[in-house]
């Protein structure tokens, strides 16, 4: 339970930092989506229930702050978590590059799924796809740049949060 809580807190930290970056870049009409990175560590490093709890909780945080039907992020994050968790024994996930690549593919899938779900809200859906693909390219580049830092942060937070043996 402690590992899930620590992972969730570091994930909320990333979500808040990316929200601030998106706020500052709002004038430039650039939006970064890092949903794949939010769920990747929990799916790759934690047991199923602890990791799924992190994915459900961060999905709820994203839903509470987004203009989407409540549960959209939660359902998509839980689905992506389940897929990654069940594939993790078949994928190399111990080294940093593999984790970054897995997070990139998860981010791509989540971004496209959200885009297809929400495209009908756009006043002109066809031109909106150009903007969406530009945001996707920026998001993937941003994710590739910050993922090593974030995976290192989560590993270090888990190492610091391990139980301390009692004095005898």
């Amino acid at each position: 339970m402690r590992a899930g809580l620590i992972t969730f807190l570091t994930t909320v930290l990333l979500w808040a930092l990316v929200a601030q970056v998106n706020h500052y870049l709002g004038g430039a009409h650039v939006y970064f989506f890092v949903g794949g990175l939010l769920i990747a560590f929990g799916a790759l490093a934690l047991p199923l229930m602890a990791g799924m709890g992190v994915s459900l909780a961060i999905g709820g945080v994203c839903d509470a702050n987004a203009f989407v039907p409540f549960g959209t992020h939660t359902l998509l994050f839980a689905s992506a978590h389940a897929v990654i968790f069940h594939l993790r024994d078949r994928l190399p996930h111990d080294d940093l590059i593999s984790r970054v690549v897995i997070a990139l593919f998860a981010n791509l899938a989540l971004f496209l799924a959200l885009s297809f779900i929400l495209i009908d809200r756009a006043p002109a859906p066809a031109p909106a796809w150009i903007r969406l693909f530009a945001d996707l390219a920026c998001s993937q580049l941003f994710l590739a740049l910050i993922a090593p830092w974030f995976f290192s942060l989560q590993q270090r937070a888990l190492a610091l949060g391990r139980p301390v043996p009692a004095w005898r």
Side-chain angles (χ1 to χ4, degrees):
M1 181 161 167
R2 183 182 297 198
L5 179 62
I6 291 170
T7 303
F8 173 70
L9 291 175
T10 57
T11 304
V12 168
L13 174 67
L14 175 68
W15 171 80
L17 291 173
V18 172
Q20 287 300 311
V21 169
N22 283 331
H23 174 73
Y24 289 120
L25 292 175
H29 304 288
V30 176
Y31 177 78
F32 293 140
F33 177 77
V34 293
L37 187 56
L38 294 175
I39 63 157
F41 187 83
L44 293 172
L46 297 179
L48 178 62
M49 294 309 290
M52 185 62 80
V54 171
S55 293
L56 291 171
I58 198 63
V61 169
C62 291
D63 280 335
N65 195 39
F67 295 111
V68 297
F70 193 76
T72 303
H73 285 98
T74 305
L75 178 65
L76 289 174
F77 285 6
S79 300
H81 176 91
V83 169
I84 293 171
F85 182 83
H86 289 293
L87 290 177
R88 80 178 182 180
D89 291 334
R90 296 179 197 103
L91 299 170
H93 64 277
D94 294 333
D95 60 313
L96 181 62
I97 294 172
S98 299
R99 288 182 178 195
V100 172
V101 169
I102 291 168
L104 284 168
F105 278 116
N107 199 60
L108 173 68
L110 289 169
F111 187 92
L112 291 176
L114 273 171
S115 297
F116 279 112
I117 290 170
L118 300 173
I119 194 67
D120 63 338
R121 293 183 176 192
W129 282 108
I130 296 169
R131 164 72 192 274
L132 288 172
F133 285 129
D135 284 345
L136 176 61
C138 292
S139 296
Q140 294 292 81
L141 180 63
F142 181 70
L143 188 143
L145 291 174
I146 66 166
W149 165 79
F150 184 62
F151 285 135
S152 176
L153 172 73
Q154 288 186 311
Q155 286 285 8
R156 185 66 181 143
L158 283 177
L160 290 173
R162 71 176 182 267
V164 177
W167 293 99
R168 294 180 189 214

